[in-house]
Amino acid sequence: MVAEYQTSRGAAYSLGYHVVWCPKYRRPVLVGPVAERLRDLIGQKCDEHGWSIVALEVMPDHVHLFVRADPNASPSYIANQFKGFTSRVLRDEFSHLRSRLPTLWSRSYFVSSVGNVSAVTIQRYIETQWERPWRKRGAS
């Protein structure tokens, strides 16, 4: 896979996050029209922020999202943007979500950074900077 880099004023970046979150009590409520509407809402939130969805799976009792975002968006901000927005809209549109659950989403979530280069490769690259033939140790 070729690295997809984005640029902004003064930065080049490739930031991806795998975000997973669940309904309260892990209830299997993300089915049928609720699941379809959730997919739409996640897409809307990505469009609003300029983020891109790489992969999205809505399971009956949890959501997996692989999203690319800019460096100004922290992983917690990204997760909370999706959870807050989708909870508000889905509970307004589907009354059974209000009657069965005190809140739509559990308070927790999982997030992991996703990259094209392993941690070992980066560590090796940094540790061998002075071994490059065009560099001389101590040169300014």
Side-chain angles (χ1 to χ4, degrees):
M1 183 170 135
V2 176
E4 293 181 31
Y5 291 94
Q6 296 171 305
T7 58
S8 65
R9 191 170 183 203
Y13 57 91
S14 177
L15 297 173
Y17 300 102
H18 176 205
V19 187
V20 182
W21 68 97
C22 305
K24 190 81 168 175
Y25 312 123
R26 197 128 186 192
R27 293 256 172 86
V29 296
L30 307 176
V31 294
V34 174
E36 287 302 316
R37 183 66 172 130
L38 177 57
R39 284 184 192 89
D40 294 342
L41 294 172
I42 290 171
Q44 284 179 23
K45 187 54 70 171
C46 282
D47 291 344
E48 176 184 323
H49 288 283
W51 303 335
S52 60
I53 296 171
V54 178
L56 171 63
E57 284 298 330
V58 177
M59 307 303 290
D61 64 349
H62 65 284
V63 178
H64 282 274
L65 173 64
F66 177 5
V67 62
R68 293 212 176 270
D70 59 82
N72 296 321
S74 70
S76 63
Y77 177 78
I78 292 167
N80 289 320
Q81 283 292 298
F82 289 120
K83 289 174 65 178
F85 173 66
T86 58
S87 176
R88 197 167 35 259
V89 175
L90 290 173
R91 286 168 57 88
D92 283 346
E93 294 180 6
F94 299 95
S95 62
H96 70 279
L97 296 177
R98 286 192 309 270
S99 63
R100 291 189 65 200
L101 299 166
T103 60
L104 178 56
W105 305 119
S106 70
R107 295 171 80 194
S108 59
Y109 60 88
F110 167 83
V111 66
S112 174
S113 59
V114 178
N116 296 317
V117 180
S118 73
V120 172
T121 301
I122 293 170
Q123 181 180 0
R124 190 174 333 132
Y125 176 79
I126 291 171
E127 289 173 348
T128 61
Q129 282 296 293
W130 287 109
E131 296 173 16
R132 307 280 187 267
W134 59 90
R135 302 230 188 237
K136 294 185 179 159
R137 189 169 289 279
S140 307

